[in-house]
Amino acid sequence: MGMLSRSPWVIHYDGSSCNGCDIEVLAALMPRFDVERFGVVNTGNPKHADIFLLTGSINEQNKPVVLNIYNQMPEPKVVLAVGICATSGGIFRECYNVLGGADKVLPVDVYVPGCSVRPEAIIDAVVKGVGILEEKRAALRNNLKSAVSQA
Amino acid sequence: MNIFTGIAFVFLAPLLGGLVAGFDRKISARLQGRIGPPLFQPFYDVGKLLQKENLVVRKSQRLYMEFFLVLIILTGAIFFSGGDLLLVIFAFTMAGVFFALGGYKASSPYSFIGAQREVLQMMSYEPAVMLAAVGMYMVTGSFQVADIVAYPQPLIFKLPGLFLAFFFILPIKFRKSPFDLATSHHAHQELVKGITTEFSGRTLALIEIAHWYEYIFVLGIGYLFFASNVWLGLVMTLVIFELLLVVDNATARVRWQAMLGSAWVVALIAGGLNIIYLMLLRG
Ligand code: SF4
């Protein structure tokens, strides 16, 4: 197992949600589930984060915010859409201002359904995300190598 | 103490410091009723940071952090090779200045405020550290760390007030509550990340490693108060560290005014009384 998968730092952003999923995200950090066992840290800084954990749907107002956070994260990075709101818009889908799920603006790597999503599912998603993180790093490396050999 | 212990510090301190940091996270988690990360978690974190992309605002900001690391290593090397305590404190201050300058250089509002707070923190702990050096000189008659360690009795008996002042400023150096204003390990949501906000990837790894050196050096100063017996010194250093973690988990952050005020008051009253007592003892 590489270092990346032992220390995933997460940034959590709440789009347009009912807050149900956010409470479950925090529950995952609390003593009962304690995701820090796996080295997961909830950071508030996109520049330190490896995993972008997005809850809630995307609307016109938070679209630039979400993009801004994503663009500030250093490579390799993955995006988790947590909760049915983030995967498709959920119950807010029909609202006049809602664009839909996170994949309307970002390349989502892991979709986690549930309303609200359970802490176990969130932990599972982070573990999946970590695997993708490793793949992305390997891909970045290969790109770099081929770029060097071509030059 | 000789040049070899100094060299040993350069190579062993990051390992030991990383373990201290891991121990810290484990114990903190336990105090909060959690299981906590593995003991080697800080090493995994740094290993990961080395593999990440290095985003910078300005290319030069990394240079300041490199100076910070080099000066911290220098500080510890002088200290552990038994050199002059005043020189050690001076080098330590220089290191802190470069750390703060790095924060200023990154010129984002968050790291800017973080850097300002770092400077305030330095102002808060300086008096206690200086007075501790003076007190050690008055007891042992020398500023050389090697002579202070060789003193036959534990210094704590002669310097209880200065030890109190030193313990009071310890949370500042370990970036712990109630004085974790510039940046902290636990409150992950304040001021983004304070002074280290704009640092990522390799540069952040560098800062972490510098902090590990810092931990060992600061614990080394704590050791000086009990240095007459190696085992007593080591056990008491551990006890100090444990107490620090309890304080960290039991208190909330204060404003900078309260930090500056209380650190100076404790240093001047407890430390000052201690120094007057030493003068009377000599007199
Ligand atoms: S998925 Fe359900 S619980 Fe989660 S934010 Fe949306 S509405 Fe709330």
Side-chain angles (χ1 to χ4, degrees), chain A residues 2-8 50 76 133-134 137, chain B residues 48 51-52:
Chain A
M3 292 289 181
L4 264 177
S5 47
R6 286 174 189 251
S7 148
D50 311 301
L133 213 53
E134 290 284 2
R137 190 179 78 85
Chain B
K48 174 202 72 175
Q51 297 179 350
K52 293 278 287 186

Side-chain angles (χ1 to χ4, degrees), chain A residues 17-21 24 82-92 112-118 121:
Chain A
S17 84
C18 80
N19 264 186
C21 286
E24 300 300 328
V82 171
I84 207 69
C85 285
T87 59
S88 69
I91 56 163
F92 302 114
V112 194
C115 176
S116 65
V117 67
R118 299 188 68 86

Side-chain angles (χ1 to χ4, degrees), chain B residues 91-170:
Chain B
F92 192 48
T93 309
M94 284 290 285
V97 167
F98 274 102
F99 186 48
L101 277 177
Y104 279 122
K105 186 75 186 178
S107 65
S108 88
Y110 308 110
S111 71
F112 196 84
I113 297 178
Q116 284 179 330
R117 290 178 167 190
E118 179 70 22
V119 173
L120 286 165
Q121 288 187 346
M122 285 170 60
M123 278 162 63
S124 308
Y125 70 71
E126 285 296 326
V129 175
M130 287 305 289
L131 283 179
V134 170
M136 285 178 185
Y137 169 77
M138 290 176 78
V139 175
T140 62
S142 167
F143 275 121
Q144 298 293 322
V145 176
D147 296 339
I148 296 173
V149 171
Y151 192 72
Q153 289 156 6
L155 288 175
I156 180 85
F157 294 131
K158 294 254 174 75
L159 305 172
L162 286 168
F163 179 74
L164 185 74
F166 171 74
F167 184 74
F168 195 82
I169 56 119
L170 215 51

Side-chain angles (χ1 to χ4, degrees), chain A residues 60-97:
Chain A
E60 286 295 345
Q61 276 202 343
N62 65 30
K63 185 176 159 188
V65 180
V66 167
L67 277 174
N68 198 357
I69 294 176
Y70 181 76
N71 289 334
Q72 286 190 58
M73 290 170 62
E75 294 284 351
K77 54 190 168 188
V78 299
V79 179
L80 316 183
V82 171
I84 207 69
C85 285
T87 59
S88 69
I91 56 163
F92 302 114
R93 191 190 177 93
E94 309 287 298
C95 289
Y96 68 96
N97 59 340

Side-chain angles (χ1 to χ4, degrees), chain B residues 13-79:
Chain B
L15 300 177
L16 224 61
L19 276 182
V20 165
F23 193 62
D24 163 11
R25 282 178 68 173
K26 192 88 195 163
I27 300 284
S28 295
R30 274 292 147 86
L31 287 172
Q32 295 164 7
R34 296 186 287 117
I35 292 175
L39 192 58
F40 293 109
Q41 188 62 41
F43 297 106
Y44 301 150
D45 288 348
V46 165
K48 174 202 72 175
L49 288 172
L50 291 173
Q51 297 179 350
K52 293 278 287 186
E53 187 187 10
N54 189 16
L55 292 177
V56 291
V57 184
R58 292 189 176 151
K59 280 198 183 116
S60 56
Q61 73 191 52
R62 183 185 161 99
L63 187 69
Y64 288 95
M65 292 309 170
E66 279 161 359
F67 271 115
F68 170 50
L69 177 65
V70 168
L71 281 165
I72 281 285
I73 296 177
L74 188 71
T75 308
I78 300 172
F79 182 82

